[in-house]
Amino acid sequence: MTPPADAARAAAPAPRRRGRPADVDPERVALLALRHFDQHGYEQTTMDDIAALAGIGRRTLFRYFPSKPALVWGGIGPVVDRMHAVLDHPAADASIRDVLTDAVRSALTLPPDAEEATRRRLALMATHPALIGFGLTAMAAHRDLIVGVLADRLGEDPAGLRVQVLADVLSSANFSALLWWARNDDGPPAPVVVAAIDEVLRGI
């Protein structure tokens, strides 16, 4: 007969292993949090609330998102990566407009959940200016990509006045268009950003 102590140990659940759960989807966690922000308020929601909502531990949440602003900006990385894939290797005979709009379409063609998360992120940024400040580094990376395209296509110094100013204008126009899209347009974001690029390029 099995001793009672051994039987109790056999019946007890296996201890949870430490480390990151294999099934954590950061974008799912972010979308749950963004929906919660809309319903209950960004300032009122804590990271503990988000962890509980997602069904994960607080430490696991912080491995993916060290802060609420980091969660809001968490979707920018894949977008910039897709832009890199186009802007780093543009067709030799492509115009500035074609290179930029191809990159925008590639970066901003999103599945439904990612599009919803992007819209919610941008709408939240529009009402919390400090969040935009938090993401300046990510925005600078996007701007630097545009500098490279302009310098190459115009045959000018990347540090020159014209290239630097045009990169600022295009980068700002792209972000402004996305903020407008999040609040005013029910369709996908890429056509809105392409329209903004066209407006800027009319003057070049």
Side-chain angles (χ1 to χ4, degrees), residues 138-156:
M139 293 170 67
H142 171 261
R143 177 193 178 278
D144 289 345
L145 291 174
I146 295 176
V147 166
V149 171
L150 291 173
D152 179 65
R153 290 301 185 265
L154 296 173
E156 298 185 11

Side-chain angles (χ1 to χ4, degrees), residues 123-145:
L124 186 60
M125 290 176 197
T127 57
H128 290 73
L131 285 173
I132 296 178
F134 179 88
L136 288 179
T137 300
M139 293 170 67
H142 171 261
R143 177 193 178 278
D144 289 345
L145 291 174

Side-chain angles (χ1 to χ4, degrees), residues 94-105:
S95 66
I96 292 173
R97 192 260 180 194
D98 288 345
V99 173
L100 293 178
T101 56
D102 284 352
V104 164
R105 292 190 181 101

Side-chain angles (χ1 to χ4, degrees), residues 151-182:
D152 179 65
R153 290 301 185 265
L154 296 173
E156 298 185 11
D157 182 357
L161 177 65
R162 186 180 187 212
V163 169
Q164 289 291 313
V165 170
L166 289 176
D168 281 336
V169 171
L170 285 163
S171 180
S172 296
N174 290 356
F175 189 65
S176 178
L178 283 170
L179 291 174
W180 184 91
W181 163 79

Side-chain angles (χ1 to χ4, degrees), residues 28-204:
R28 172 188 166 274
V29 174
L31 183 54
L32 289 172
L34 290 160
R35 289 170 176 168
H36 192 81
F37 293 155
D38 278 352
Q39 296 176 356
H40 302 281
Y42 174 75
E43 300 293 350
Q44 291 74 23
T45 302
T46 67
M47 292 293 277
D48 285 337
D49 293 334
I50 296 167
L53 184 68
I56 59 178
R58 189 173 187 272
R59 291 178 63 184
T60 297
L61 176 64
F62 274 88
R63 289 192 189 105
Y64 288 99
F65 304 112
S67 66
K68 285 194 296 181
L71 185 151
V72 174
W73 276 91
I76 191 67
V79 172
V80 173
D81 288 345
R82 289 193 294 273
M83 291 199 77
H84 258 297
V86 175
L87 297 183
D88 286 350
H89 305 286
D93 58 348
S95 66
I96 292 173
R97 192 260 180 194
D98 288 345
V99 173
L100 293 178
T101 56
D102 284 352
V104 164
R105 292 190 181 101
S106 175
L108 295 177
T109 299
L110 307 171
D113 281 357
E115 184 173 308
E116 179 189 349
T118 299
R119 187 185 299 278
R120 290 179 182 275
R121 283 181 165 112
L122 290 160
L124 186 60
M125 290 176 197
T127 57
H128 290 73
L131 285 173
I132 296 178
F134 179 88
L136 288 179
T137 300
M139 293 170 67
H142 171 261
R143 177 193 178 278
D144 289 345
L145 291 174
I146 295 176
V147 166
V149 171
L150 291 173
D152 179 65
R153 290 301 185 265
L154 296 173
E156 298 185 11
D157 182 357
L161 177 65
R162 186 180 187 212
V163 169
Q164 289 291 313
V165 170
L166 289 176
D168 281 336
V169 171
L170 285 163
S171 180
S172 296
N174 290 356
F175 189 65
S176 178
L178 283 170
L179 291 174
W180 184 91
W181 163 79
R183 293 170 292 178
N184 298 284
D185 193 285
D186 293 332
V192 175
V193 178
V194 168
I197 290 172
D198 284 338
E199 289 296 330
V200 172
L201 293 180
R202 292 183 205 281
I204 298 178

